[in-house]
Amino acid sequence: MQLFGKKLHLVTKDELGDNSVALDVARSAISGDRRAQKSIYDYLSGKMYAVCLRYMGDRDVAEDVLQDGFVNLFTKLDSYSGDGSFEGWARKIFVNTALMSLRKKDVLKESQDVEEARGLAGGDASAIQQLGYKEILDMIGTLPAGFRTVFNLYVMEGHSHKEIAQMLDISEVTSRSQLQRARTMLQAKIKSNTDAGRKK
């Protein structure tokens, strides 16, 4: 297929990391080129599944959100301008898709009093060093949905409590409370995991 005077082929993952190539592929996908659409899917599916799983905490639900995310991505593909990273642009779509799914289930309204969360037992920071990345992500996945969502937005995505409150339609106090509770729960899980490892 010809695109802007260039022959388009099935693009590799490395090539899609280049913004100008990503823009060309996006334009081609908009026009219905299945190879371009497959290139986008192949490039993003693994990374965005990990994002969906972090937010949803359940593999089957994460797969559903991934599917919905791709529908949203291909619907909004014409809004990608090529100015920033294609992956970063896509990540926002998948995060928003996960948040919409969580809002529908109304799990984001779970709240914990900040003072109560502060009073709970802390964890051993050195215990984290004994765990692998996958183990930590698995532990994050076991958090209640509201806690997990705020934790992901604050720690993993770098949003402020004000931004999180606006995104989730909750108060900043609730955002802080849920983050504190998530951290406390993670610390307890990490401590329990490392204590169990020492007994072996």
Side-chain angles (χ1 to χ4, degrees), residues 34-50:
R34 296 285 183 207
R35 291 176 298 174
Q37 293 168 353
K38 181 172 177 6
S39 293
I40 291 170
Y41 179 84
D42 290 345
Y43 176 65
L44 294 173
S45 61
K47 296 172 185 179
M48 296 307 123
Y49 174 72

Side-chain angles (χ1 to χ4, degrees), residues 5-77:
K6 300 183 222 172
K7 185 168 177 137
L8 187 65
H9 60 284
L10 196 58
V11 180
T12 67
K13 290 181 180 185
D14 290 337
E15 290 173 315
L16 246 176
D18 178 329
N19 288 355
S20 64
V21 172
L23 185 58
D24 286 348
V25 172
R27 288 177 180 158
S28 186
I30 290 167
S31 70
D33 184 331
R34 296 285 183 207
R35 291 176 298 174
Q37 293 168 353
K38 181 172 177 6
S39 293
I40 291 170
Y41 179 84
D42 290 345
Y43 176 65
L44 294 173
S45 61
K47 296 172 185 179
M48 296 307 123
Y49 174 72
V51 169
C52 294
L53 184 58
R54 257 195 5 244
Y55 280 91
M56 305 315 292
D58 177 271
R59 293 183 186 283
D60 292 333
V61 176
E63 286 177 11
D64 291 342
V65 171
L66 179 71
Q67 189 71 20
D68 292 343
F70 273 109
V71 169
N72 291 336
L73 179 130
F74 285 117
T75 302
K76 297 176 181 181
L77 205 50

Side-chain angles (χ1 to χ4, degrees), residues 80-95:
Y80 176 66
S81 64
D83 289 337
S85 151
F86 181 70
E87 184 179 332
W89 175 83
R91 181 191 243 352
K92 288 178 186 174
I93 291 174
F94 284 90
V95 167

